[in-house]
Each structure stands twice: as C-alpha cells, then as structure tokens.
Amino acid sequence: MGTGREVDVRLAGVTKRFGDVVAVDDIALDILQGEFFSLLGPSGCGKTTTLRMIGGFEQPDEGAIELAGANVAGLPPHRRDVNTVFQSYALFPHLNVFDNVAYGLRRRRIAKDHIPGQVRRILELVDLPRFEARRITQLSGGQQQRVALARALVNQPRVLLLDEPLGALDLKLRKAMQLELKGLQHEVGITFIYVTHDQEEAMTMSDRIAVMREGRIEQVGPPEEVYERPATEFVASFLGASNLLDGTVGPPDGDFRTIELVSGEKVRVPAAAIEGTERSIKLGVRPEKIRIGTAGSASPADGDNAIEGTVRDATFVGVSNVYAVATRDGHEVTVYAQNLGTSTDRPPAPGETVTLTWHPEHTFVVSGREGGADGE
Amino acid sequence: MTRRGWVLPAYTTLVLLYLFLPIAVMILFGFNDIRGRFNFVWQGFTLRHWTGIWDTPELTDALKNSLLIASISTIVATSLGTMIALALTRYRFRGRGSTNLFIFLPLATPEIVLGASLLSLFVTANVSRGIGTILLAHIMFNISYVVVTVKARTQGFNREWEEAAKDLGATPWTAFRTVTLPLIFPGILAAAVLAFALSIDDYVITLFNAGATVTFPLWVAGASRFGVPPAVNVMGTLIFVVGVTLALLAVPLQRRRAAAPVAPPTGRVAG
C-alpha cells in the first residue's frame, strides 16, 4: 500500500481444516491500522473461519496470526485485544443494556465509578442515549445491533471483528447502518475487519476488500480496483454483472494491445492489463460502461471499441434500461443504459441489430487460472 | 358462544376437582378427631394431631431420613446431571448417541425392575443395605430426570453467548458463571425441584434397597395396614404446603428468565 501505516493484523500461510475440508487454504494478508477491511465471498468461502481465527475462536492448523506484531496463535479469545460483533449479536438476554455494555469493562477490572460514564458515552456514540435500563428483549433489531457494537467498542480494542452484523436487518435499515458504521469507524479510528457476502455492502464501506473463494484469496485491493480491474473471472462475476469475451492477443498499439475476438472483430485493451506472454485471454467490460446504439445510427467516438450484436431482451427497470445482447461470437452481453428520458433516440427493440461501444480503458483482462493472485 | 360459555368452565371445574379433591381430603382428615385407629370417617374437629405432630418417634425418624436422602440425592444428581446435559448438547463425541440412550433407559424401565436389579447388584457386591444404598439408587434415577429437564434448556442455548463473553475478556470459568449458568438456571431449578419430589416420594425402588432403614413412604405404607394415623395427613399437608410455596416463589424467577429469547434472532450462515 505504501502508506507507511502500521500493520495491525498479519496472516501468514494460514490454513484451517475441518476434517477433510480445507476451510482456509494458505492465505496471507496484511491489514493496516485504522483500515476498514472486508472479507467478501460466497458462503463457505472461508471468510467467517478466517475472522474466527483472528478472534481466537478457532486455531489455525498452519501459519501465523499476528496482532500488532505479536504472534497470537494459540492464545484464547479472552487474551486477545480484539472484540467481535457477532452475526446473531449474541447479546446476553439476562442482562439489561447497561450490564451488556459494561460486561467487558468489568472483566478488565475497570474501576467501578468509571464504568457508568464510559457506558453512557459509548451509548451516545451509537445513538442510543438513556437506553441503559432497557431489557434486550425490548429492543428492535437495529437497536440490538447498536448495543452489540457499543459492547465491543467500549473496550477500545485494537481490532474490531464484524461477522455479517447487518445480515438480519431489512434493506432500508441496512443501507443506513452501512453509512453509519463507516462514519463510526472513522470516528473511533479502530481497525475494522468486516465479513460479508454482499458485494455492494463491501464496496460501500471498505477501504480495501479481499475477495475469497474456496478458502483462498482471489484478489485484494480498494473497491474501485477490484471492481474496475478484477483479477479473475470469479471476482469479475462476484462483484457485479460482468461481460466476458474470449480473444487472442494481437500486436501492440501505443498504450494498448489489439485483441482479436472469436467473431473476428478487433478491440483494444490497456497494454498493462496483459500479463507476459499470454496468447489466449478473457476480456471483460462492466455493463454500465457500454453504450448501445442501433447499428449505423451513431458512429463510435474515435478509438472506442465497437462490436455488433442483436438485442435479445430489453427490460425497463426505472433508472435504466437493461439489455441482453447476443454478440457475433455467441456471448451474451448485459448493457445498462441510463434512463435519461431524451426521446431523440428510440430505444433499441428486441431483434434489432445494435452496435456496442466502450472506451478501451474500461476493458479488463481476467486470468482464467484456478486459485487466485494475492493482488499485493 | 353460549355453549362455550358454560361447557369450558364446567369442564375445568371437574378437572380441578379431580386433581385436588384427594389433597383436600388429606388436609381435612389431618383435623379429624378420631377415636380408635381408623381415620376414614369424619368425627369432629381437633388440632391435637398438629400439636402432637412429633409424638410418633418412628414417623419423625422416617421423615428425617427422607428429607436427608432427598436433599443429598437432589444436590448430587442435579450437579452431575447438569454437567451431562451440557456435555451432551455442546460436544460431538464418540459414544454421544449411546450415552443419550443410556440416560433415557432408567426413565423407561419399570421401577419394580430397577429396584429388583439394584438389590441383586448390591447383594452380589455384598453391600449392606441402608441409607447409602438408597442414596445411590435415588441419585441414579434422578440423574436421568435432571439430564432430560436441563437438556431442554441447554438445547436452545446460543453458543455465541459464551463466545461473546470470552471475546469480552471472560475466562472460560467466568463465562460459565456469568452467562451460561444464569441462562440455564431455570432448567436447573426445575430439575432440582423434580428430583427432590421424586426422591421424597419414591416407594418401590427404596423398598428393595432400604435394608433396615425406614423412609417416610415406607413408614406410611407400613402403617396403612393397621390404619394410617392422622399425623401422616399432617405431614403430607406440610410437605404439600412447602412444595406449593417453593413453586410459587419460583414462578417470578422462571417468568423473568423465560422472557429471554433462547434462540438467536437469525440462523447462522457459515462463511
């Protein structure tokens, strides 16, 4: 990253097996101080296991886990300077809000007369002032979520682990909480490691994302990077609709390389995207980067990539029109055309031949390799 | 509506009468001013059985034995049974299935069979019968009841509660003391009350293994052949009152704990 910030959590060669199943397979990660870091992947990809190993609830079979430079492998959870917000919140139902939040302070033998003040301040921070005496059962899902946050944050841990904490909330509340969490993290300056299977959530909140699949890390990087330049086919498709086309690498053309598609059409991709001596590649472009026009109606801007296709399906979804277009080499490409409301251009209808154009810069090349690059 | 208007209350009244008439009769005949040995016909009101409650030394000793046996077997069986229930619900170990079955067996075995087998075991092992053998027998069958009762509570226990406690700095023992124990306590309390009641009431198994020791049920059964003295009614009344009082005291506690949701709000999605 080159920011010169301290590494808070380092995983080196960490492997975890459950019987014959390799849940986490030799992963390496550096998470920096104050970072909002997300582990993103489908269920069963090993992201929760990774989080639980950092928290101390599981011990790795191989590899080292460092917290602030010290190896913590083998240490039980209560001896680690991390706190967790559990997916089910795991609030203690026999205690009220005050006693829940004060639980960690009491375990650390904080002086009795300091506890009420600290609890009050943290409850104000999570926007639940004067909730001390409430019973857990009297709280809504969103409020329970905040209490769980407060209970963890009041201990001022070095790292806060969050295991899909917004999963149980409805969509609207979830959106609001995403922004709030991000703001809160900024305020307290604590490193957050956030586990989610929701790519939009990860992109909204994170400084960096590690995309995981089958116990391995496919790519690590800031949201824009993993979205705009996915390293693997899996990352490309997991972080949103991606349109992948097969092609053969041709000669260089300035900062670009020419790629010949199966259909014979030629497109250009950034030269930096081509690794080494690869000949046969998969290239992709995000649906919102493509402009669609009836064939011949508009000439593509100079230097833009252009391919032809036939509209299979057109769907109006309000903010945009979504087209499924069959290209000449037999792929189906998704195009989002923003609903600008201008009536000069008649939207293409199914069956029509169209030209798809996009800027070469917006083309990415994915590796077809199994497993993943570390991306660092 | 009109039909339901009287059928349900009438039905309820009959059920309550059916349940409580024998107890009412027992209490009432503790005040019967009997002449002779038999306490079957109402002959007048007196308090002399209450004032002279300890006048039959054999009965007093029998009651003391029963209370002692019930207390010890309740404490031992509740502790052991709670630990077994916790182990059975939280760990997957070899022999877990068969342990579950073996715990259930004493519940399904007729008491007469249990009593007789225990006796033959004690005779074979040359153990002299007395309070010790009664205790062993009572602890044995009580463990099963405790495990079944406590398990109902531990099964709904969210392991993340314990993990959260440890995450917040609690040692395993502190996590158990401050989180696990309070949350499963209603189950343990119910199990202990049940164990105490079963022990103080047991006749069949005790009869086989008592040797020369006489417990309250054994004494009452023996006396009934010659006519049960009203002192038995008085003691029965006392035991009943103490039991009901304990149960009533436990209600607010149970209600408070029961308000806590035992299951987590969401299913866990492994990632």
Side-chain angles (χ1 to χ4, degrees):
Chain A
M1 289 291 285
T3 55
R5 282 193 293 179
E6 222 178 314
V7 174
D8 244 358
V9 179
R10 167 168 288 159
L11 306 182
V14 171
T15 299
K16 177 70 186 176
R17 298 183 197 88
F18 294 109
D20 294 337
V21 183
V22 184
V24 173
D25 189 1
D26 189 26
I27 65 169
L29 262 184
D30 279 356
I31 296 163
L32 304 178
Q33 208 285 311
E35 198 170 25
F36 197 122
F37 192 93
S38 289
L39 295 169
L40 172 67
S43 73
C45 74
K47 56 191 194 296
T48 295
T49 306
T50 305
L51 196 79
R52 288 173 62 80
M53 285 194 285
I54 300 172
F57 301 111
E58 308 283 353
Q59 299 296 343
D61 292 313
E62 284 164 36
I65 298 174
E66 286 177 18
L67 278 178
N71 192 354
V72 294
L75 278 190
H78 64 273
R79 310 238 332 253
R80 296 185 184 202
D81 192 11
V82 298
N83 285 118
T84 308
V85 177
F86 291 87
Q87 189 176 23
S88 70
Y89 312 143
L91 296 174
F92 306 131
H94 60 301
L95 302 178
N96 64 16
V97 170
F98 179 89
D99 288 326
N100 263 280
V101 177
Y103 190 90
L105 298 176
R106 288 184 177 139
R107 300 287 87 75
R108 290 193 297 134
R109 309 240 181 281
I110 300 290
K112 251 201 176 78
D113 39 333
H114 289 166
I115 292 178
Q118 291 193 30
V119 172
R120 180 163 26 85
R121 270 195 300 280
I122 202 78
L123 284 177
E124 275 164 14
L125 187 70
V126 298
D127 220 12
L128 289 178
R130 294 183 299 282
F131 267 65
E132 280 95 333
R134 297 279 190 102
R135 300 207 65 80
I136 296 305
T137 41
Q138 298 170 330
L139 303 178
S140 70
Q143 289 167 340
Q144 292 189 20
Q145 215 277 323
R146 288 158 197 264
V147 174
L149 259 173
R151 185 178 69 172
L153 281 175
V154 77
N155 305 295
Q156 298 172 303
R158 179 131 197 137
V159 178
L160 185 74
L161 308 176
L162 302 104
D163 185 5
E164 308 225 16
L166 306 183
L169 305 181
D170 63 62
L171 185 68
K172 208 171 161 187
L173 192 54
R174 197 154 74 221
K175 295 277 178 211
M177 279 305 293
Q178 285 173 6
L179 297 176
E180 226 172 288
L181 257 180
K182 178 76 191 148
L184 191 66
Q185 192 257 349
H186 196 75
E187 208 165 323
V188 295
I190 292 173
T191 310
F192 277 33
I193 304 181
Y194 191 97
V195 159
T196 180
H197 64 269
D198 182 335
Q199 35 90 18
E200 214 178 294
E201 193 169 287
M203 286 196 280
T204 307
M205 294 191 286
S206 318
D207 296 321
R208 284 197 303 154
I209 298 173
V211 184
M212 291 187 70
R213 176 203 187 192
E214 290 171 3
R216 296 180 146 264
I217 292 174
E218 292 262 317
Q219 189 177 2
V220 181
E224 312 80 56
E225 190 180 303
V226 283
Y227 182 77
E228 304 286 3
R229 289 187 299 283
T232 66
E233 208 176 318
F234 174 78
V235 175
S237 55
F238 196 76
L239 270 84
S242 66
N243 302 310
L244 296 172
L245 304 165
D246 297 299
T248 314
V249 179
D253 174 8
D255 289 339
F256 298 96
R257 291 287 284 267
T258 307
I259 309 288
E260 189 177 330
L261 300 180
V262 178
S263 60
E265 289 163 309
K266 289 193 173 58
V267 295
R268 299 192 304 159
V269 304
I274 310 281
E275 280 178 37
T277 55
E278 282 176 296
R279 291 286 299 152
S280 182
I281 60 158
K282 264 192 187 343
L283 60 87
V285 57
R286 293 292 182 191
E288 69 279 10
K289 301 290 196 310
I290 303 176
R291 289 181 302 279
I292 187 168
T294 41
S297 72
S299 53
D302 200 28
D304 270 6
N305 288 329
I307 61 170
E308 273 195 1
T310 311
V311 177
R312 278 276 167 75
D313 197 18
T315 317
F316 176 69
V317 291
V319 293
S320 59
N321 287 298
V322 177
Y323 299 98
V325 179
T327 63
R328 280 166 51 190
D329 58 7
H331 285 283
E332 188 165 284
V333 169
T334 308
V335 180
Y336 299 156
Q338 204 171 2
N339 181 8
L340 297 172
T342 49
S343 53
T344 47
D345 278 335
R346 184 183 55 81
E352 255 183 276
T353 305
V354 289
T355 307
L356 305 178
T357 60
W358 70 91
H359 195 276
E361 283 284 359
H362 292 150
T363 320
F364 55 81
V365 175
V366 296
S367 138
R369 282 178 295 150
E370 273 308 299
D374 277 0
E376 290 283 306
Chain B
M1 274 312 282
T2 45
R3 256 166 62 90
R4 249 183 67 193
W6 67 268
V7 171
L8 189 59
Y11 173 73
T12 312
T13 312
L14 282 174
V15 169
L16 289 175
L17 268 178
Y18 178 59
L19 286 176
F20 291 110
L21 198 60
I23 295 172
V25 168
M26 175 197 73
I27 294 173
L28 181 68
F29 277 77
F31 298 100
N32 192 9
D33 188 9
I34 59 164
R35 272 143 245 158
R37 275 223 297 267
F38 296 99
N39 187 13
F40 296 137
V41 182
W42 183 253
Q43 286 168 309
F45 181 85
T46 178
L47 282 174
R48 70 183 157 94
H49 309 304
W50 284 81
T51 49
I53 184 172
W54 310 116
D55 287 352
T56 321
E58 303 83 28
L59 178 56
T60 310
D61 288 344
L63 186 69
K64 279 185 193 158
N65 280 341
S66 274
L67 288 174
L68 180 75
I69 291 163
S71 307
I72 296 177
S73 72
T74 297
I75 291 167
V76 176
T78 306
S79 326
L80 291 176
T82 300
M83 288 191 270
I84 295 172
L86 280 169
L88 284 174
T89 38
R90 61 180 45 194
Y91 303 118
R92 302 274 166 275
F93 51 91
R94 193 193 301 257
R96 181 170 164 270
S98 40
T99 309
N100 260 323
L101 180 69
F102 285 134
I103 287 295
F104 189 72
L105 269 182
L107 303 182
T109 312
E111 279 191 69
I112 190 98
V113 177
L114 267 186
S117 351
L118 274 166
L119 176 62
S120 57
L121 174 74
F122 289 136
V123 169
T124 313
N126 205 17
V127 180
S128 62
R129 271 77 67 207
I131 287 222
T133 47
I134 300 176
L135 269 175
L136 281 177
H138 283 204
I139 290 169
M140 186 211 74
F141 68 72
N142 267 341
I143 282 180
S144 294
Y145 286 97
V146 171
V147 170
V148 170
T149 312
V150 175
K151 241 172 71 177
R153 188 79 186 177
T154 52
Q155 258 158 356
F157 190 86
N158 178 7
R159 287 300 299 275
E160 283 193 350
W161 283 326
E162 262 175 21
E163 292 191 339
K166 291 177 191 169
D167 184 76
L168 292 164
T171 60
W173 166 245
T174 308
F176 179 78
R177 188 174 52 80
T178 56
V179 174
T180 315
L181 196 58
L183 284 170
I184 62 170
F185 188 72
I188 298 177
L189 188 71
V193 170
L194 181 66
F196 192 88
L198 287 168
S199 171
I200 208 158
D201 166 74
D202 183 73
Y203 175 75
V204 178
I205 296 174
T206 312
L207 181 68
F208 278 97
N209 300 288
T213 308
V214 179
T215 63
F216 182 66
L218 294 189
W219 195 90
V220 173
S224 69
R225 270 176 276 166
F226 315 103
V228 181
V232 168
N233 295 53
V234 172
M235 283 185 187
T237 306
L238 283 175
I239 292 173
F240 175 73
V241 168
V242 170
V244 168
T245 312
L246 284 178
L248 287 178
L249 285 177
V251 164
L253 183 74
Q254 291 266 15
R255 190 171 293 159
R256 191 159 67 84
R257 307 285 190 201
V262 170
T266 53
R268 180 169 181 77
V269 184

